[in-house]
């Protein structure tokens, strides 16, 4: 009797568990209003291969085909948190909203590998001004020094979204509404958009944005998350609600399983078109885009090997050989990582207040051994503050620097010891190196650096800290040790501000040169690209020359695509962490090839 | 139902009431521990937020963020607000980073952890009970050594290492890997079971190791009892002796062990969830701790604590079913 | 009365003489071969940990140019991505495991004993309050609580030791407490009270020696758990911070990334961890089988000194009674 009771309880628990697991948040999908080319089944990811997908294809042999589900692992290990564009989000920029919300401007992919190959759309937030084109806007100009006029593209429609809005054309009133919201929300977004003063719409397709002052990086800000254009209906229905999201973009958000994946479906009435060969095609090609959140590299790779992921980004060099061996059919794309490891040395207190000591620390690092051990022999020596992928009117390659700066990047322990002796440290000194333990590779890098410095007599004590504590320490600015952190390239103005503005959160070296800052202020006010870029280039070079940092080499990162993914050129983004245009223009080969996997 | 049964039921009811009453002070202490411990962790959330926002005016932004998150009042006021919210409205507060209600986050992810934990427990029991009993009955024979070695191997091989191996090598050798997005039971029962069974086996094995040994030693003890010797001398078959006489009594401490493992239903699975990309509360907790999302951590810990306390009561009640000698004092 | 006292003291002394270490070891070798293997492994672990400096061919963080070198004469187990010799790092990892494992366990036993002893002995309201606190602590699943504690105290060897000791100590106090309660109910304790033993005397002379068995068992069974938990924490990046080699830490991060280029980086620390946990567990098991009074003799329930005298009589007789000891 008692055993039966126990069994009954057990079975009930089992049933309860399964019921609970299946009652996990119901999918947001609505099927109405979605023009489906053929039958796309409900089952996610893994099960796709076995399905009888009665897709209707235009051309089977040559040319692009419509249909299919693409599973994208972008390599950015974040999950969405906020859906309202003007609310600050810790997720990367437009990584999730960009698929359905659009901006006035975006990056011009035809200037990348897809077209003229002038720019490597690599892993940074920023796109250089000359590679920006209109998205919702067709053209723009300054009608007077502080008024920016945008001419909107006609014929763009908001899709039907039951419970939110019915389809209608996107007009200037929407832009005015979005920007007004942004301007009034200065409080939550801090000082990023403080240069926008007011906005008005002279007619249905024209928007006038009045600036309170000229901000030189306004183009970049126009592509960012805060300036997504949203309809008033969305705000009325609840803009923070993931189930209500709607936009003019190539995809529509249909499902969000927290911690697991996002699902987007094709927007059948998207305005975007592309020309392949001599035919014009409506975008996007794929029917469904799935974006899972997987943090563990082994899991990501397993998904790629077994065909569950169609595109995988952020793959490190260690896995290249093995992938080539097990999956030689994969297409590989190389991209330069966005950022570099930085050892920050405080130049306001000893011992690093003497530039000779900073130079010595730089010369003691055997960069070749570093690259061989950490990056498999392939890296770029200098790619910070400005990225080596940025155009030459901004970025100064190492060989163009004066000899006194170039020697910092060469391995010369004898000279390093000599400089130390000159500076008054004939027997070296002791110092700590603080770093965050959140990334396992950091410990290896710091160990290696410490062993190099030990060779010139500098005894470095490694001080790992938990991430949150690390942030607190860097924020407090009371440390006396060196700090290591992974710097990113962000955008020219942001990164220079981080490196050179006194009091900035990231100014960990206490860089403080009034002349430099005056030039920086001047650059921020420069209206012409040529003048601006010239100043920025100089400012960047000056930061490098102070040797305030030991700038570690920048590695390459690899992306892989399955052989049936066509018209993909390995771009990492087309705007600030925004892959939507890339995905919209990416095409399937026939499902047959994919189904064989 | 005779008078004895009725009295026992009444005793049990009083016992349950008493235990539930005792749960309240325990939960209060637990809530205090949780709330203050989390806030003692160095490096505050505001600094992290400021870092992310590229603020140009740190002081102003800090004040503004603090106010919007309700962190501008002293800690004990925050505590009372939080407890008040729970007791009066059943509201666990809102995530500091996302602004979504904590209860929603937990409700979304708890079923996954629960299912994983349940499968692991069941698989663990299916392995450990038979092997433990066998090992005890055949003590010091080869079979016993093998079984014990297996049990300890289950504990010795780290589950995270095993998880990585299982993720990596099948993908290379057989082109198979577990699904990377959550397969819901309602949509695809078979797929859901397959997705959970692999991590559950890995977890179940390490649970099994502990239970196996406890089962074995308890069976050993029971098999030495006088009444078992009596059964032997009566000439009963081995199976009768073991199953009918020995097992039930040996299982009582095993129930203790199971009771100790029950918390896995609500959160012992952080590493496995990370490796197998399962959106459970283990990962939720890990991320929340790193990001210092105080409300999520506090709310989640409180939910977990309540669950564990209730489990303890349930386990104690089970003793009553198994052992007629147990009195609800 | 005084002669009774002396007699009981004598019996205790006799008991102690009989339970000498050599007796134990002999029984271990004779009756529990697996446990002996485990004992050997534990001993090896201890020796490796203590003499790590002499045994390791290279320094623990000595980088060289031999990145990812495969096993060879120079690097017997290969080298890692910074050119550090894997064998040396595993040996030093043993030292970390030994230090963390044994120190944290010892500390946790002290905590368990203190809490369990006083809580069980004093009883009453004190017991109720303390048990509520222990309950509240045990509400939280182990790893999660450890995560919070580690974030609280930051990475570092001593912090980890204290955290592990605290966590395991509080949960282990339950075992000690129940043992104390069982003993408290025994006749000889009541007799001692009747004689007029002071509380301290009761604790030290009567109760403490009798709970030594469960304490030793707790000690030996805790060590592998603590070693494994430290490995899990290191795997999550929250354990002993690199570059100090810890087997768990060596299995995470770098080993995963270099798994295909240098599989030895992931294999050897895992093997070491498994062998050590296996060995210590087996040894602990054997110790428990030998020491657990409940399993001795064929007498079933625990019955103190009486068991000893029967044991001296004959082992064969026990075997004849059915299931060996």
């Amino acid at each position: 009797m008692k055993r039966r009771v126990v069994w009954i309880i057990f079975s009930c628990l089992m049933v309860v568990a399964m019921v609970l697991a299946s009652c996990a948040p119901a999918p947001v999908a609505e099927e109405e209003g979605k023009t489906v080319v053929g039958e796309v089944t409900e089952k996610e990811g893994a099960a796709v291969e076995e399905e009888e997908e009665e897709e209707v294809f235009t051309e089977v042999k040559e040319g692009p085909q419509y249909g299919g589900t693409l599973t994208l692992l972008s390599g950015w290990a974040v999950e969405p948190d906020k859906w309202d564009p003007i609310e600050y989000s810790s997720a990367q920029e437009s990584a999730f909203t960009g698929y359905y919300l659009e901006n006035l401007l975006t990056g011009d992919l035809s200037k990348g590998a897809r077209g003229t190959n002038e720019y490597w759309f690599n892993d940074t937030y920023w796109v250089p001004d000359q590679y920006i084109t209109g998205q919702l806007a067709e053209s723009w100009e300054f009608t007077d020094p502080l008024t920016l006029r945008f001419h909107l593209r006609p014929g763009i429609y908001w899709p039907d979204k039951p419970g939110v809005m019915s389809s209608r054309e996107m007009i200037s009133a929407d832009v005015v509404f979005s920007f007004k919201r942004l301007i009034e929300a200065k409080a939550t977004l801090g000082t990023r958009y403080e240069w926008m003063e007011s906005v008005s719409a002279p007619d249905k397709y024209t928007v006038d944005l009045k600036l309170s002052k000229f901000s030189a990086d306004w183009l970049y800000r126009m592509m960012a998350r805060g300036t997504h254009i949203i309809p008033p209906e969305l705000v009325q229905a609840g803009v923070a609600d993931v189930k209500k999201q709607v936009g003019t973009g190539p995809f529509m958000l249909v499902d969000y399983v927290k911690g697991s994946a996002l699902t987007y479906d094709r927007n059948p009435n998207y305005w975007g078109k592309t020309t392949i060969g001599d035919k014009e095609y409506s975008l996007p090609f794929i029917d469904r885009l799935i974006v899972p959140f997987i943090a563990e590299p082994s899991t990501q790779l397993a998904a790629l090997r077994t065909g569950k992921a169609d595109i995988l980004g952020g793959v490190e060099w260690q896995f290249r050989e093995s992938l080539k061996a097990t999956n030689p059919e994969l297409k590989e794309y190389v991209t330069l990582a966005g950022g570099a490891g930085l050892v920050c040395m405080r130049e306001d207190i000893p011992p690093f207040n003497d530039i000779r000591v900073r130079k010595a620390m730089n010369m003691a690092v055997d960069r070749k051994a570093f690259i061989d051990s950490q990056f498999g022999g392939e890296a770029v020596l200098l790619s910070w503050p400005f990225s080596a992928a940025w155009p030459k009117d901004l970025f100064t390659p190492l060989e163009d620097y004066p000899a006194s700066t170039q020697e910092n990047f060469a391995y010369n322990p004898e000279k390093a010891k000599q400089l130390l002796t000159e500076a008054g440290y004939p027997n070296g000194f002791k110092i700590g190196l603080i770093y965050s333990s959140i990334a396992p590779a950091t410990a290896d890098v710091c160990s290696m650096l410490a062993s190099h410095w030990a060779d010139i007599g500098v005894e470095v004590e490694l001080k790992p800290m938990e991430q949150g504590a690390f942030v607190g320490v860097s924020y407090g600015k009371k440390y006396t040790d060196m700090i290591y952190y992974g710097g990113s390239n962000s955008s020219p103005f942001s990164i220079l501000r981080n490196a050179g503005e006194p009091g900035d959160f990231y100014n960990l070296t206490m860089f403080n040169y009034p002349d430099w800052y005056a030039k920086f202020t001047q650059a921020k006010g420069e209206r012409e690209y040529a003048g601006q870029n010239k100043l920025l280039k100089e400012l960047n070079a000056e930061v490098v020359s102070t040797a305030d940092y030991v700038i570690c080499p920048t590695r390459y990162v690899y992306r892989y695509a399955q052989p049936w993914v066509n018209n993909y050129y390995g771009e990492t983004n087309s705007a600030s962490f925004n892959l939507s245009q890339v995905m919209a223009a990416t095409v399937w080969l026939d499902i047959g090839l994919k189904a064989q996997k | 139902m005779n008078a004895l049964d009725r009295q026992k039921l009444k005793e049990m009811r009083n016992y349950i009431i008493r235990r539930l009453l005792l749960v309240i002070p325990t939960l209060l202490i637990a809530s205090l521990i949780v709330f203050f411990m989390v806030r003692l962790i160095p490096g505050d959330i505001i600094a992290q937020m400021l870092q992310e926002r590229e603020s140009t005016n740190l002081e102003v932004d800090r004040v503004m963020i603090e106010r919007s998150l309700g962190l501008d009042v002293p800690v004990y006021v925050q505590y009372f607000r939080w407890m008040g919210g729970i007791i009066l409205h059943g509201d666990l507060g809102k995530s500091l980073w996302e602004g979504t209600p904590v209860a929603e986050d937990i409700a979304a992810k708890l079923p996954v952890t629960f299912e994983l934990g349940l499968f692991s427990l069941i698989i663990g029991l299916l392995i450990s009970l038979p092997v433990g009993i066998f090992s005890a009955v055949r003590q010091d024979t080869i079979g016993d050594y093998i079984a014990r070695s297996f049990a300890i191997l289950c504990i010795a091989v780290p589950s995270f290492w095993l998880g990585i191996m299982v993720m990596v090598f099948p993908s290379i050798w057989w082109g198979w890997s577990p699904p990377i997005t959550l397969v819901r039971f309602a949509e695809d029962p078979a797929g859901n079971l397959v997705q959970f069974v692999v991590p559950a086996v890995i977890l179940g094995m390490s649970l099994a190791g502990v239970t196996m040994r406890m089962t074995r030693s308890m069976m050993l003890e029971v098999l030495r009892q006088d009444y078992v010797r009596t059964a032997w001398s009566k000439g009963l078959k081995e199976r009768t002796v073991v199953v009918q006489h020995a097992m039930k009594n040996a299982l009582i401490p095993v129930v203790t062990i199971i009771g100790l493992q029950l918390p896995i239903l609500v959160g012992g699975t952080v590493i496995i969830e990370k490796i197998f990309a399962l959106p459970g509360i283990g990962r939720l907790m890990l991320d929340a701790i790193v990001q210092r999302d105080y409300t999520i951590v506090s709310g989640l810990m409180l939910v977990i604590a309540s669950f564990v306390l209730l489990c303890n009561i349930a386990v104690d009640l089970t003793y009553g079913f198994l052992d007629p000698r147990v009195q609800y004092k | 009365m005084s002669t009774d006292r002396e007699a009981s003291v004598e019996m205790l002394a006799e008991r102690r003489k009989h339970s000498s270490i050599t007796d134990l070891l002999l029984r271990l070798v004779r009756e529990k071969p697996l446990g002996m293997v485990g004992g050997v492994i534990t001993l090896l672990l201890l020796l490796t940990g203590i003499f790590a400096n002499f045994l390791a061919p290279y320094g623990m963080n000595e980088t060289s140019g031999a990145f990812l070198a495969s096993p060879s004469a120079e690097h017997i187990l290969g080298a890692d991505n910074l050119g550090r010799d894997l064998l040396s790092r595993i040996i030093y990892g043993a030292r970390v495991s030994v230090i963390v494992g044994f120190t944290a366990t010892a500390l946790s036993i002290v905590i368990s004993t203190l809490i369990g002893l006083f809580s069980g002995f004093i009883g009453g309201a004190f017991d109720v309050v303390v048990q509520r606190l222990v309950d509240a602590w045990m509400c939280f699943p182990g790893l999660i609580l450890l995560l919070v504690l580690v974030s609280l105290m930051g990475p570092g060897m001593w912090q980890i030791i204290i955290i592990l000791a605290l966590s395991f100590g509080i949960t282990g106090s339950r075992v000690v407490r129940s043992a104390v309660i069982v003993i408290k109910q025994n006749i000889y304790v009541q007799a001692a009270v009747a004689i007029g033993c002071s509380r301290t005397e009761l604790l030290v002379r009567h109760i403490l020696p009798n709970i030594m068995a469960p304490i030793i068992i707790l000690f030996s069974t805790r060590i592998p758990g603590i070693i494994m938990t430290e490995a899990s924490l290191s795997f999550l990046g929250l354990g002993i911070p690199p570059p100090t080699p810890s087997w768990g830490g060596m299995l995470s991060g770098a080993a995963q990334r270099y798994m295909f280029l240098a599989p030895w980086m992931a294999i050897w620390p895992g093997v070491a961890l498994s062998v050590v946990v296996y060995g210590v567990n087996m040894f602990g098991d054997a110790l428990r089988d030998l020491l657990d009074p409940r399993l001795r003799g064929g007498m079933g329930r625990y019955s103190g000194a009486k068991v000893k005298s029967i044991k001296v009589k004959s082992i064969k007789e026990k075997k004849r009674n059915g299931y060996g000891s």
Side-chain angles (χ1 to χ4, degrees), chain B residues 141-213:
Chain B
T141 59
I142 302 278
D144 178 28
Y145 290 147
I146 295 178
R148 271 162 55 199
S149 299
F150 175 63
I152 299 203
L153 222 64
C154 285
I155 306 180
V157 175
S159 58
F160 53 85
W161 189 82
L162 198 56
I164 301 272
M165 296 295 122
V166 164
M167 184 55 78
V168 169
F169 289 106
S171 73
I172 299 182
W173 297 331
W174 310 312
W176 176 86
S177 78
I180 54 178
T181 56
L182 183 65
V183 180
R184 293 204 202 89
F185 186 74
E187 290 171 9
D188 180 10
N192 173 283
L193 289 177
V194 166
Q195 182 176 37
F196 278 89
V197 115
V198 176
V201 165
I202 295 177
L203 268 178
M205 274 171 54
S206 42
L207 292 178
V210 176
T211 325
M212 238 188 281
R213 295 162 67 217

Side-chain angles (χ1 to χ4, degrees), chain B residues 36-239:
Chain B
F36 289 100
M37 201 158 62
V38 167
R39 275 164 181 68
L40 281 176
I41 302 179
D44 71 326
I45 186 177
I46 314 278
Q48 281 201 25
M49 287 185 164
L50 288 172
Q51 176 207 34
E52 296 256 357
R53 284 179 197 217
E54 299 184 274
S55 297
T56 45
N57 192 339
L58 294 174
E59 289 315 312
V60 167
D61 286 345
R62 164 174 276 269
V63 168
M64 180 194 72
I65 298 177
E66 272 182 359
R67 195 167 323 132
S68 69
L69 295 178
L71 295 176
D72 50 340
V73 292
V75 187
Y76 58 87
V77 175
Q78 291 178 35
Y79 174 73
F80 283 117
R81 276 194 195 161
W82 180 61
M83 285 308 282
I86 296 178
I87 299 175
L88 298 175
H89 310 289
D91 170 26
L92 285 167
K94 293 196 173 36
S95 154
L96 293 179
W97 280 99
E98 294 186 26
T100 48
V102 173
E104 215 178 82
D105 267 342
I106 297 179
K109 303 199 167 172
L110 193 55
V112 173
T113 303
F114 194 83
E115 189 178 342
L116 181 61
L118 194 64
F119 280 18
S120 312
L121 274 176
I122 294 176
I123 291 179
L125 285 176
L126 284 175
I127 299 176
S128 63
L129 285 179
V131 175
I133 295 177
F134 170 79
S135 182
V137 169
R138 298 267 176 276
Q139 193 196 13
D140 285 339
T141 59
I142 302 278
D144 178 28
Y145 290 147
I146 295 178
R148 271 162 55 199
S149 299
F150 175 63
I152 299 203
L153 222 64
C154 285
I155 306 180
V157 175
S159 58
F160 53 85
W161 189 82
L162 198 56
I164 301 272
M165 296 295 122
V166 164
M167 184 55 78
V168 169
F169 289 106
S171 73
I172 299 182
W173 297 331
W174 310 312
W176 176 86
S177 78
I180 54 178
T181 56
L182 183 65
V183 180
R184 293 204 202 89
F185 186 74
E187 290 171 9
D188 180 10
N192 173 283
L193 289 177
V194 166
Q195 182 176 37
F196 278 89
V197 115
V198 176
V201 165
I202 295 177
L203 268 178
M205 274 171 54
S206 42
L207 292 178
V210 176
T211 325
M212 238 188 281
R213 295 162 67 217
M214 178 54 101
T215 311
R216 175 182 175 274
S217 65
M218 281 304 121
M219 276 298 283
L220 279 180
E221 178 188 335
V222 162
L223 285 169
R224 274 164 189 58
Q225 300 279 9
D226 286 348
Y227 65 89
V228 172
R229 259 196 282 152
T230 316
W232 271 115
S233 54
K234 278 206 275 188
L236 290 172
K237 280 200 298 191
E238 181 175 43
R239 169 187 279 198

Side-chain angles (χ1 to χ4, degrees), chain A residues 289-356:
Chain A
L289 179 66
I290 298 180
V291 181
F293 317 121
I294 303 183
E296 196 66 37
S298 312
T299 317
Q300 291 173 346
L301 282 168
L304 182 69
R305 281 190 228 268
T306 56
K308 292 198 171 72
D310 299 299
I311 296 180
L312 172 62
V315 179
E316 302 285 342
W317 66 273
Q318 291 96 335
F319 299 109
R320 289 180 74 196
E321 256 179 60
S322 156
L323 273 176
K324 276 207 186 69
T326 56
N327 295 70
E329 72 280 5
L330 289 172
K331 304 187 204 180
E332 188 189 70
Y333 306 93
V334 183
T335 187
L336 186 64
L342 302 168
V343 179
C344 310
M345 299 178 276
R346 271 184 89 129
E347 56 159 71
D348 57 339
I349 51 173
F352 297 120
N353 51 349
D354 187 333
I355 192 177
R356 286 172 294 194

Side-chain angles (χ1 to χ4, degrees), chain A residues 386-405:
Chain A
F386 286 1
S387 168
W390 290 351
K392 289 298 172 283
D393 59 352
L394 279 173
F395 174 75
T396 313
L398 189 55
E399 44 283 8
D400 291 353
Y401 278 91
S404 58
T405 308

